[in-house]
Amino acid sequence: MQAQAALELALDPEKRYEFVNGQPKEKDMPSGLHGVVAARLLIRLGGFVEAHQLGEVSTEANFKIGKGERIPDLSFVSAARIPAEGVPSGVWQSAPDLAIEIISPNDLHERVNNKVLEYFEAGVRQVWLVSLEHRMVTIHPSPNESHNVRGEAELTGGDLLPGFRCKLSEIFPVSMGA
């Protein structure tokens, strides 16, 4: 742990890092489109979770995932998994119930798949991968199962967020740039 603390001091404070197997991995800075899609999803998902008092939705929160730390673009932690002392001011010491990653153009397929597996091994109950390029959300209810939501379809919360519904057209802007 001392080695990681010393390493953190040497990292560029202007950049964001996840720790994978004890090693820092720089996280890409989000694009404008990434930010807009994240905000639209946050508004809809966060509003639903708050209205039904289901827990907390956050952006860019740091979670202890296995031997490292991950920073999902968006996450949901159910009320039952929030510590008695409340939302931590530092790193969440447990995994979120839902981890949402907005896929960057530089993301490699293998790295994204590894991240999905890491999330499930740490106790995440569901992972959503948002593809800006394909205007699609891939929902992973387990490490061995996934389905795509695209076109005019609705994104739903399934067993994790019963009653949550959101048309993809509400998330992806009509005029999406490259």
Side-chain angles (χ1 to χ4, degrees), residues 71 113 122 139 149 157:
I71 306 170
N113 284 338
I139 298 173
V149 180

Side-chain angles (χ1 to χ4, degrees), residues 62-114:
N62 222 357
F63 289 89
K64 178 87 173 119
I65 301 291
K67 295 179 184 175
E69 294 174 15
R70 288 289 192 179
I71 306 170
D73 292 311
L74 295 165
S75 55
F76 161 68
V77 178
S78 66
R81 290 176 80 172
I82 295 174
E85 59 275 7
V87 175
S89 60
V91 177
W92 285 86
Q93 293 302 307
S94 61
D97 291 275
L98 170 65
I100 302 173
E101 294 286 348
I102 299 174
I103 306 303
S104 302
N106 299 337
D107 282 334
L108 299 175
H109 185 73
E110 195 64 25
R111 284 190 190 154
V112 172
N113 284 338
N114 286 341

Side-chain angles (χ1 to χ4, degrees), residues 41-59:
L41 190 51
L42 173 65
I43 289 166
R44 283 147 183 89
L45 185 60
F48 177 83
V49 167
E50 187 174 319
H52 294 87
Q53 300 177 347
L54 299 175
E56 296 292 342
V57 175
S58 63
T59 62

